[in-house]
Amino acid sequence: MKLLVPVKRVVDYNVKVRVKADGTGVETANVKMSMNPFDEIAVEEAVRLKEKGTVTEIVAVTIGPAQAQEQLRTALAMGADRAILVEADGAEPLGVAKVLKALVEREQPQLVILGKQAIDDDMNATGQMLAALLGWSQGTYASKVELSAEGAKVTREVDGGLETVQLKLPAIVTTDLRLNEPRYASLPNIMKARKKPLETVKPADLGVDLTPRLTVVKVEEPPKRQAGVKVASVAELVSKLKTEAKVI
Amino acid sequence: MAVLVLADRSGTTVSQPTRSAVAAAARIDADVHVLVLGGSEAAQAAARLAGVTKVIQADGPAYEHGLAEPAAALLVALAPGYSHLLAPGSAMGKNIMPRVAALLDVQIITDIAAVEGPDTFRRFIYAGNALATVKTADAKKVLTVRAASFDPAPAEGGAAAVEAAPAAEDPGVSSFVGAEIAQSERPELTAARVVISGGRAMGSAENFHLLEGIADKLGAAIGASRAAVDAGYAPNDYQVGQTGKIVAPELYIAVGISGAIQHLAGMKDSKVIVAINKDEEAPIFQVADYGLVGDLFKLLPELEQELG
Ligand SMILES: Cc1cc2nc3c(=O)[nH]c(=O)nc-3n(C[C@H](O)[C@H](O)[C@H](O)COP(=O)(O)OP(=O)(O)OC[C@H]3O[C@@H](n4cnc5c(N)ncnc54)[C@H](O)[C@@H]3O)c2cc1C
Ligand SMILES: Nc1ncnc2c1ncn2[C@@H]1O[C@H](COP(=O)(O)O)[C@@H](O)[C@H]1O
C-alpha cells in the first residue's frame, strides 16, 4: 500500500526564539530550520513499515516556501521514495489539511502519518482536520502502529496512560514521541536522495484556497519569571516554603 | 448565543480542566451548556458546576470511550445552536475538537490562554517563547482551553437541567480495543496543588520511587521531564512540557531537571517553583523561587525526613 507523510519546515528546536520588536511575529531570518521533530518520527515509522513489506511507496509532502525542499530531501534520505512541494507560505492547519486532501485524492494512499504537533504554531490539529475532511478514521498520539490489510491497530498516549483503537483503512495516524527513534540519514542515502523525484505544485493547481481565517493581532514576549533565591539547606527550604511562600 | 463545552470525564465526575474550560466559556457568554459523553453521574456533576445552564448527555456504546469520529459527528449535529464550541486541552479535547472544526470549515484555535473578545484569543506559540493574540474571521468558533490559564469554575453552585443528546450518526470507522490507565491514589497531574517532577538525573525507574515518599507527605502528583520518560524511568503520561502536560500548581518541585525551554513551557505558570540540581548554572534556577544546589540522592531523603 501507498503511504503519505506530510513534513513541516520549522525553526529548529534548539534555537532560542525571539519575538520581533514590532510585535508581528518571531525572528526567522538567519535562523536554523529543520524538519518538525514529530514529522521525523512519522517518516521513520513509514520507512519501518516499508521495510516490513506492508508499505510499497512513501510520498513525502510539504506545504511551504521553496527552501522547504531541504526538509523533503531529508525525508527522501531517510527512505521516502518521492516528494511533493506545495509552494505556499504560512498556511493554517485547515488550509494545510485541504491541500493534503487534494493530494490524497490524487495519490490514493491508504494511510497518512503526520506529526502530532508542529513545534512552531503548537496547534496539534492538522491530522485530525485531514481525517475529518476525508471522512477517515484517526489514531492520534500514536506510540505503536500495527498495520495489516484489514486495518491499523494504534496504541495512543492519553492522559492517564495508553489506549488502543482499531482503525478501518484508509486512516490517519499522528505520531507521539515514543513511537520510535528516527534514524540519521547516511551519507550514501543523502547522495541518493538528490536523485529521487521532487515535484513542485501550486495550491491553485490543486484547486485549494488558502486564505487565512486568523489574523495575528500581535505577538509578545510572555511575562518573565524572576529568579528567586538559593537556599543553603533542606531545612531552610522547608522553613521558607512554610513561612514565606506558605505553600506547605 | 449559547456556548457549548465538551466535558472530559474523570471517573464519575468531570475533570478539573473541564471546569477551567467552563470558566473560559463563561467569559464568552453567560449561557454555558456542557456536553457529557456517557456517564450519568458525570452528567449530574456537570449540572452542579457553577455557571452551567444546561447539560446534554450522550449515551450509547459509540460515546463510551470518547472515540473521535462519533463524538465529532455529535458536536457537529449540536453546532447550529452555538456560537462557540470549547473543550479542555486534554488528550480527549485535542483529539476531537480539530475534527469538529474541519467538519464545520472552521480554523480551530487550540490551547487558548485568554479570552479578549468573542472572536479574539491569546495563545502561546514556540514552546511558550511567544504569546500571540489572534482574531478569527470564522462565524463559528472552535476552541480548546489551556486549563492552567483559567481558574476552574466551582464544582458546586449550579442546578442545570440534564437532557439527552439528539441522535447523531456513528461513522463506524474505528473501535475501542482497550486501555491501560494507571490507577493511582495520587491527585491528577493537571489538577494537583503540588507537583514533584524528576528528570534524567533520577538515573533509573527504581530511583524514581525516591520521589514517592515526598509526594505522599505533600499530597503531590508526580511528573517527569521528557528525558526521564524517554529513558523509561517514568510512564509517558507523567511528562510535563510543550508536548506533554501543562501544569500550574501552587508548588512545583523540579528534581534533577535542567530546565529546557520545552520543559518550562509546561510548568512556568506554577505559583512557587523549587529546583534541586547539582549544577548551580542550570537554567531551571532562572525560573525557580527557591533553588537548592546539591546531589539529589543526598537531598531527597533529607527532604522526606524534614517534612516529618
Ligand atoms: C520536539 C520536542 C519536544 C519536547 N518536549 C518536551 C516536553 O514536553 N517536556 C520535557 O521535559 N522535555 C521536552 N523535550 C526535551 C527537552 O528539550 C530536554 O531534552 C529535556 O527536558 C531534558 O530533560 P532533563 O532536564 O531531565 O535532562 P537533562 O537536560 O539531562 O538535565 C539533567 C539535570 O540533572 C542535573 N543532575 C545530574 N545529576 C544530578 C544529581 N545527582 N543531583 C542533582 N541534579 C543532578 C544536571 O545538572 C542537569 O541539569 C522536547 C524536545 C523536543 C525536541
Ligand atoms: N505546512 C505543512 N506542510 C506539511 N505538513 C504539515 C504542515 N503543517 C502541519 N503539517 C503536518 O501536521 C502536523 C501537525 O501540525 P499542527 O497541526 O500545525 O500542529 C505536523 O507535524 C505535520 O506532519
Side-chain angles (χ1 to χ4, degrees), chain B residues 12-34:
Chain B
T12 56
T13 183
V14 293
S15 69
Q16 182 170 312
T18 300
R19 295 199 277 125
S20 291
V22 166
R27 304 246 171 131
I28 298 167
D29 194 281
D31 202 6
V32 178
H33 299 185
V34 174

Side-chain angles (χ1 to χ4, degrees), chain B residues 213-308:
Chain B
I214 298 168
D216 287 343
K217 290 196 168 149
L218 293 171
I222 300 183
S225 71
R226 176 184 169 187
V229 173
D230 272 355
Y233 306 162
N236 64 275
D237 53 301
Y238 279 31
Q239 185 182 315
V240 170
Q242 177 192 18
T243 56
K245 287 183 178 144
I246 295 171
V247 301
E250 298 267 299
L251 173 61
Y252 187 89
I253 307 176
V255 182
I257 292 177
S258 60
I261 186 76
Q262 292 87 3
H263 188 80
L264 301 187
M267 46 64 81
K268 67 177 179 194
D269 289 347
S270 305
K271 190 162 157 263
V272 174
I273 297 175
V274 169
I276 298 178
N277 197 301
K278 72 174 181 191
D279 173 11
E280 62 179 323
E281 302 292 320
I284 190 77
F285 288 125
Q286 288 163 22
V287 300
D289 300 282
Y290 301 105
L292 186 53
V293 179
D295 185 348
L296 70 89
F297 296 105
K298 178 175 161 283
L299 295 172
L300 285 181
E302 272 181 47
L303 179 57
E304 187 176 342
Q305 199 164 37
E306 186 74 25
L307 289 170

Side-chain angles (χ1 to χ4, degrees), chain A residues 54-206:
Chain A
T54 359
V55 168
T56 48
E57 189 186 22
I58 302 168
V59 183
V61 184
T62 195
I63 295 95
Q67 300 91 306
Q69 287 192 28
E70 295 164 16
Q71 282 64 46
L72 289 176
R73 290 290 171 206
T74 305
L76 293 169
M78 287 174 72
D81 297 290
R82 58 191 173 85
I84 304 171
L85 165 69
V86 181
E87 249 185 291
D89 231 346
E92 294 168 348
L94 180 63
V96 171
K98 287 181 177 177
V99 168
L100 294 173
K101 175 176 187 255
L103 289 173
V104 163
E105 281 161 0
R106 197 182 87 176
E107 298 283 342
Q108 301 282 319
Q110 285 296 294
L111 189 69
V112 183
I113 309 185
L114 306 89
K116 83 161 173 182
Q117 174 175 346
I119 61 163
D120 50 2
D121 66 14
D122 281 333
M123 270 288 193
N124 192 331
T126 307
Q128 300 89 310
M129 296 188 110
L130 177 60
L133 297 180
L134 292 165
W136 289 9
S137 57
Q138 67 185 59
T140 52
Y141 323 141
S143 66
K144 192 172 175 194
V145 178
E146 293 161 272
L147 193 59
S148 65
E150 301 84 67
K153 191 168 153 192
V154 177
T155 304
R156 309 180 52 233
E157 299 198 358
V158 294
D159 286 341
L162 298 171
E163 172 189 290
T164 305
V165 291
Q166 179 70 32
L167 308 179
K168 283 193 185 153
L169 294 179
I172 302 291
V173 166
T174 76
T175 61
D176 219 316
L177 294 170
R178 279 156 292 277
L179 182 57
N180 61 49
E181 194 147 331
R183 70 194 64 191
Y184 289 102
S186 67
L187 197 57
N189 284 341
I190 293 171
M191 302 306 285
K192 260 194 252 162
R194 291 192 188 158
K195 297 200 187 71
K196 289 185 179 173
L198 192 159
E199 175 195 3
T200 300
V201 294
K202 296 262 186 283
D205 302 337
L206 301 168

Side-chain angles (χ1 to χ4, degrees), chain A residues 11 13-17 19 26 28 37-38 41 92-95 98 116-126 128-133 135-141 153 156-169 176-178 212-223 225-235 237-238 240-242 244-248, chain B residues 8 65 67-69 90-92 94-96 98-99 101-103 105-111 120 122-138 172-182 193-194 218 226 229-230 236-237 239 242-245 250-251 261-262 268-274 276 280 285-293 299 302-303 306-307:
Chain A
V11 173
Y13 83 98
N14 272 315
V15 171
K16 170 86 184 83
V17 171
V19 173
V26 306
T28 49
F38 288 100
I41 297 173
E92 294 168 348
L94 180 63
K98 287 181 177 177
K116 83 161 173 182
Q117 174 175 346
I119 61 163
D120 50 2
D121 66 14
D122 281 333
M123 270 288 193
N124 192 331
T126 307
Q128 300 89 310
M129 296 188 110
L130 177 60
L133 297 180
W136 289 9
S137 57
Q138 67 185 59
T140 52
Y141 323 141
K153 191 168 153 192
R156 309 180 52 233
E157 299 198 358
V158 294
D159 286 341
L162 298 171
E163 172 189 290
T164 305
V165 291
Q166 179 70 32
L167 308 179
K168 283 193 185 153
L169 294 179
D176 219 316
L177 294 170
R178 279 156 292 277
R213 305 292 178 83
L214 307 183
T215 317
V216 177
V217 181
K218 63 176 174 204
V219 175
E220 307 156 79
E221 190 106 21
R225 266 192 102 96
Q226 294 300 320
V229 295
K230 294 253 168 65
V231 290
S233 68
V234 165
L237 173 66
V238 170
K240 283 217 148 72
L241 291 177
K242 279 186 178 150
E244 194 175 270
K246 297 193 170 64
V247 286
I248 60 171
Chain B
D8 210 351
H65 301 290
L67 287 174
E69 301 87 350
S90 57
M92 179 222 51
K94 287 178 169 163
N95 187 32
I96 296 172
R99 189 170 179 109
L103 291 171
D105 193 31
V106 166
Q107 174 54 54
I108 190 171
I109 306 177
T110 58
D111 271 329
T120 307
R122 302 176 89 188
R123 64 188 299 276
F124 290 98
I125 52 176
Y126 292 92
N129 273 309
L131 182 56
T133 304
V134 293
K135 187 174 159 89
T136 174
D138 287 320
V173 288
S174 71
S175 55
F176 176 80
V177 177
E180 284 169 49
I181 304 295
R193 208 188 62 81
V194 180
L218 293 171
R226 176 184 169 187
V229 173
D230 272 355
N236 64 275
D237 53 301
Q239 185 182 315
Q242 177 192 18
T243 56
K245 287 183 178 144
E250 298 267 299
L251 173 61
I261 186 76
Q262 292 87 3
K268 67 177 179 194
D269 289 347
S270 305
K271 190 162 157 263
V272 174
I273 297 175
V274 169
I276 298 178
E280 62 179 323
F285 288 125
Q286 288 163 22
V287 300
D289 300 282
Y290 301 105
L292 186 53
V293 179
L299 295 172
E302 272 181 47
L303 179 57
E306 186 74 25
L307 289 170

